[in-house]
């Protein structure tokens, strides 16, 4: 095995583009998933019986099947159902729908962990249901679930690698393409592994920093 | 027509279950070793264990599978895709299971260990009769959870040419031009396997719970 760093240096612009797309897909998919997950968790809790039934099924399906199979269904099956998506669009939509189910579960746990007394106190001082959700439950829950949210975000960085299989031109696809074009697959994949390791460790550091900062507001 | 497809993917399901079962079992054994290293009094071993966990939890499984699949031949070891897949899944799940185990060990009540010491048990007895059984019971739900995650993650072995559920579904989709049916059947298989796993897990968990301290 002869490792040639010049190979990597020559294709640095491509690697940078791939990295940018990885980060874009990751943050785009995660934040949309976060928003959708919050909406799902609120609708499950206060949306009535039918909403709960449908959304329970949604969460169960997304969490019970592999992300790759969901992507295949969306990307290859989509056109047959009138949903013709480019790889990047399918990737973003897939990542959003997938992560939303996990985020919804995290938020559900958070809502359940809030002491009943806080809600009762809010009712006593005359807050409406909407006010209670917005001013009591959401802020308290955010602090409770923060570590789980950060953990989920770091898991999602790694899930973006799967998007290469439906030809989203992100880091994994770019670097493996360089590797096979130059017959240096082992070196390229090793570089890839180290890149993800770095992103995950940095995300963890940022997460611990945010946790430390917000931890000051913790009540329970 | 539909039934032949379901039976066809059943062969892939056997492969998925087989590689997941091997990986989770061997990965647990390896996880015990990594956990022991992380809790060891020797600083060098602790560092090694921490580095292992950090690396294998920091690299996407897909990248790990590609790395093993291409690195082993590059250093002169030629392995079939199935072996590379099992190695990749095992190394990755070992890191997660080591962390779960470590959490279990750290959560064994100090009072229980002190009581054991008071009645004169030696360090080895305390480990084998007090700390290990309690830690194992504490981590059992996490092991079941990890098995479910692994079963789903095993869909990635289709990339290194292993004929699992996902690979069979891909072949079916391209030969019949019916991707929706093919991947829906694949999803249903995974869902079914996961329901069986979590159901079996909870009843085993209840059985273990009868001996709760």
């Amino acid at each position: 095995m002869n490792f040639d760093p010049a190979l990597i240096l020559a294709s640095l612009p491509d690697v940078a583009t791939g990295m940018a797309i990885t980060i874009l897909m990751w943050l785009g998919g995660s934040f949309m998933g976060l928003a959708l997950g919050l909406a799902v968790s609120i609708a499950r809790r206060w949306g009535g019986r039918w909403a709960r039934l449908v959304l329970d099924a949604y969460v169960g399906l997304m969490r019970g099947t592999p992300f790759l199979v969901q992507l295949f269904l969306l990307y290859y099956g989509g056109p047959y159902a009138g949903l013709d998506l480019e790889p990047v669009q399918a990737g973003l939509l897939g990542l959003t729908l997938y992560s939303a189910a996990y985020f919804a579960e995290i938020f559900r746990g958070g809502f359940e962990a809030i002491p009943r007394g806080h809600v009762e106190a809010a009712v006593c001082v005359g807050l409406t249901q909407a006010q209670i959700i917005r001013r009591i439950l959401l802020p308290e829950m955010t602090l409770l679930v923060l570590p789980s949210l950060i953990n989920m975000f770091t898991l999602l960085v790694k899930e973006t690698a799967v998007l290469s299989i439906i030809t989203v031109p992100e880091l994994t696809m770019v670097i493996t393409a360089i590797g096979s074009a130059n017959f240096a697959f082992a070196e390229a994949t090793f570089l890839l592994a180290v890149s993800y390791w770095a992103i995950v460790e940095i995300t963890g550091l940022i997460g611990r920093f945010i946790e430390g900062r917000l931890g000051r507001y913790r009540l329970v | 027509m539909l039934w032949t497809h379901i039976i066809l993917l059943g062969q892939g399901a056997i492969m998925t279950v087989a590689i997941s079962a091997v990986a989770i079992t061997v990965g647990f054994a390896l996880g015990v070793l990594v956990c022991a290293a992380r809790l060891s009094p020797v600083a060098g071993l602790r560092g090694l264990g921490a580095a292992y966990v950090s690396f294998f939890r920091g690299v996407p499984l897909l990248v790990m599978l590609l790395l093993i699949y291409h690195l082993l031949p590059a250093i002169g070891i030629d392995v079939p895709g199935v072996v590379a897949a099992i190695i990749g899944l095992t190394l990755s799940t070992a890191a997660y299971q080591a962390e779960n185990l470590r959490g279990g060990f750290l959560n064994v009540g100090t009072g229980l260990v002190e009581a054991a010491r008071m009645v004169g048990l030696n360090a080895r007895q305390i480990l084998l009769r007090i700390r290990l059984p309690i830690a194992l019971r504490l981590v059992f739900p996490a092991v079941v959870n990890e098995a479910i995650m692994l079963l789903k993650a095993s869909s990635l072995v289709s990339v290194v040419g292993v004929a699992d559920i996902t690979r069979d579904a891909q072949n079916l989709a391209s030969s019949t031009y019916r991707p929706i049916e093919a991947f829906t059947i694949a999803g249903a298989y995974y869902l079914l396997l996961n329901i069986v796993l979590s159901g079996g897990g909870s009843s085993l968990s209840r059985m273990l719970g009868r001996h709760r301290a």
Side-chain angles (χ1 to χ4, degrees):
Chain A
M1 195 166 101
N2 42 350
F3 189 85
D4 190 358
L7 271 182
I8 301 301
L9 289 177
S11 37
L12 213 53
D14 289 341
V15 174
T17 316
M19 180 75 99
I21 293 180
T22 285
I23 292 178
L24 214 70
M25 299 297 290
W26 169 44
L27 291 180
S30 305
F31 276 107
M32 288 197 289
L34 190 73
L36 182 60
L38 183 62
V40 167
S41 71
I42 290 175
R44 262 170 119 186
R45 202 173 168 83
W46 290 284
R49 199 154 60 95
W50 287 105
R52 182 157 61 236
L53 220 61
V54 171
L55 293 174
D56 282 355
Y58 161 73
V59 171
L61 281 176
M62 298 314 271
R63 301 203 329 148
T65 55
F67 182 45
L68 180 59
V69 173
Q70 296 168 13
L71 280 180
F72 279 155
L73 194 57
L74 194 63
Y75 184 63
Y76 295 115
Y80 289 85
L83 191 71
D84 215 340
L85 295 172
E86 293 294 308
V88 170
Q89 297 169 325
L92 266 180
L93 181 60
L95 204 58
T96 302
L97 292 175
Y98 172 77
S99 62
Y102 286 87
F103 282 125
E105 278 297 280
I106 294 173
F107 288 129
R108 184 176 64 94
F111 279 129
E112 280 169 9
I114 295 169
R116 282 186 62 89
H118 294 199
V119 181
E120 283 162 7
V123 173
C124 284
V125 295
L127 268 61
T128 65
Q129 176 88 66
Q131 281 175 321
I132 293 175
I133 295 177
R134 200 167 68 82
R135 300 196 170 262
I136 310 293
L137 294 176
L138 283 181
E140 280 201 48
M141 183 208 51
T142 308
L143 284 181
L144 284 174
V145 300
L146 198 62
S148 312
L149 292 185
I150 290 164
N151 187 37
M152 192 61 213
F153 264 80
T154 38
L155 285 178
L156 287 171
V157 186
K158 293 189 287 167
E159 293 291 0
T160 61
V162 177
L163 299 176
S164 64
I165 302 175
I166 60 160
T167 65
V168 175
E170 45 68 80
L171 196 60
T172 301
M173 184 164 159
V174 168
I175 294 191
T176 49
I178 295 170
S180 47
N182 298 295
F183 300 104
F185 220 97
E187 292 93 325
T189 330
F190 184 71
L191 177 82
L192 190 59
V194 174
S195 314
Y196 278 107
W197 189 16
I199 302 178
V200 167
E201 286 295 319
I202 292 169
T203 311
L205 276 179
I206 297 173
R208 280 192 287 280
F209 175 74
I210 297 175
E211 261 177 66
R213 289 299 291 270
L214 289 181
R216 292 179 303 180
Y217 302 108
R218 191 174 282 270
L219 295 171
V220 280
Chain B
M1 179 73 170
L2 182 68
W3 280 108
T4 50
H5 292 169
I6 291 175
I7 292 165
L8 198 72
L9 260 67
Q11 293 170 351
I14 294 171
M15 178 61 101
T16 292
V17 169
I19 55 174
S20 302
V22 173
I24 200 88
T25 319
V26 182
F28 184 79
L30 186 58
V32 171
L33 293 180
V34 175
C35 171
R38 289 213 68 182
L39 295 173
S40 137
V42 186
L45 275 178
R46 274 205 306 276
L48 222 59
Y52 180 92
V53 169
S54 160
F55 183 70
F56 282 95
R57 294 207 311 170
V59 177
L61 182 64
L62 174 63
V63 175
M64 192 58 72
L65 289 171
L66 290 174
L67 184 63
I68 291 166
Y69 190 59
H70 294 101
L71 195 65
L72 289 181
I75 57 172
I77 308 168
D78 231 340
V79 292
V82 181
V83 178
I86 290 177
I87 294 174
L89 287 173
T90 304
L91 292 177
S92 154
T93 187
Y96 287 94
Q97 299 203 57
E99 277 304 274
N100 289 339
L101 276 167
R102 193 170 72 100
F105 265 106
L106 295 179
N107 274 321
V108 174
T110 42
L112 294 173
V113 177
E114 281 164 10
R117 204 172 289 140
M118 292 291 283
V119 296
L121 269 62
N122 61 35
R124 188 188 144 82
Q125 284 173 319
I126 293 177
L127 180 67
L128 289 180
R129 293 177 171 264
I130 309 291
R131 296 179 62 196
L132 198 60
I134 296 175
L136 285 181
R137 195 156 56 220
L138 285 175
V139 300
F140 186 75
V143 173
V144 174
N145 197 34
E146 177 60 24
I148 290 172
M149 299 302 282
L150 184 83
L151 192 82
K152 288 190 290 166
S154 77
S155 63
L156 294 176
V157 302
S158 57
V159 175
V160 293
V162 178
D164 73 328
I165 298 174
T166 306
R167 183 66 172 212
D168 280 357
Q170 275 176 280
N171 291 339
L172 189 63
S174 53
S175 64
T176 60
Y177 298 102
R178 288 183 166 276
I180 295 183
E181 287 86 338
F183 293 122
T184 304
I185 298 173
Y189 262 113
Y190 283 106
L191 201 61
L192 186 72
L193 290 173
N194 280 331
I195 290 170
V196 170
L197 247 179
S198 68
S202 358
S203 45
L204 254 173
S205 186
R206 265 197 304 279
M207 275 168 58
L208 288 172
R210 284 184 311 187
H211 304 290
R212 192 174 297 280

